[in-house]
Amino acid sequence: MQIKKGVSVLKNGKLVAFPTETVYGLGTDAENDDAVLKIFEMKNRPMFNPLICHFKDIDAVRQQAVFNKDAEKLAAKLWPGPLTIVMNKNKKCTVSNIASSGLRTIACRIPSNPIARDLLEKFNGIIAAPSANISSRLTATSKKHVVKNFGKKIFIIDGGTSEFGIESTVVDLSQETPRILRPGAIENKIIKEILPNLIENDDNNMPIKSPGQLYKHYSPNIPLRLNVKDVKKNEVLLNFGKNNLKSRIKEINLSINSDLREAAKNLFKFLYELDNKKYSGIAIAPIDNKGMGIAINDRLKRAAFTE
Ligand code: TXA
Ligand code: MG
């Protein structure tokens, strides 16, 4: 029922929020300019920040994008799944230029979530879908979060809590050397095993390559402090692993056993829970910067960024 309604919403050029294995997406028909514009409006998203296009299978991607050898390898091993590949558009590309912000490249992903796949299959088109949150705000990993962002203004397909809880890894294959543009749900080292010359961005030193890598992003309404050694009087604590940190008000632990996958899955959910103006801020315990921790720390750094 939900899928059927979702398909008709998409065919009518409207927006549908749907689950993927990473986070919830706010989707629309990628080949319909007016529909795509609505996404930018609804999210309050800068027009220069392009959207990810979701496809039902590799053949559908081939119709829009140019595969090089690296793309063939990654696609064969990691699709469907939480990987987004930026490729050059091919001549016949029919995706709205608004969706790709006028770039000659296109970000492609084949999700593995069964609801997302079913929706794509039955819609039989391409779904442009950024994460289902207001621009620069916390990412949605459940229907409840989507409602918090957009109220009841859009149709939402409920798929429970997101499996990974953090967005897909974005890899740029549009140039000679493959490069990570955004660390995400697939760890860099898995991609590096397939593409040994992969460049992993150290975003302390690199210029912004992905237009979406705006510094302020994924932000709650109250200030964040990272890598804390102590917790201030009115702060709540987002803890990780076992340590001596304590909040006098409230504390949640991302993973008592320091499991980084569990922490990624809980990250946005717990940030929503702690994001309340009655607290002065959120203190965040140090989180290992390896494996999935790289994506977690990337999100936290942007969430904590202040102009
Ligand atoms: O897991 C995900 O990736 C989720 C689900 C819904 O699929 N989507 C998501 O979309 O996180 P969004 O729009 O929040 O992030 C898309 C990222 C942005 O950083 C954007 O700048 C980058 O992908 N991107 C999109 N097209 C690009 C392009 N042609 N070149 C470089 N970066 C691109
Ligand atoms: Mg996003």
Side-chain angles (χ1 to χ4, degrees), residues 18 20 22-26 43 45 49-52 54 84 86-87 99-100 103 105-107 109 129-133 166-170 181-182 209-213 217:
F18 65 99
T20 81
T22 55
V23 302
Y24 275 70
L26 179 65
K43 276 188 64 109
R45 180 175 175 115
N49 188 7
L51 312 177
I52 293 177
H54 297 69
T84 296
V86 173
M87 291 185 262
S100 55
L103 298 172
T105 55
I106 180 174
R109 156 155 149 74
S131 47
N133 54 281
I166 206 153
E167 295 90 339
S168 63
T169 305
V170 181
L181 296 182
R182 176 179 74 181
K209 278 279 166 22
S210 203
Q213 295 298 69
H217 215 129

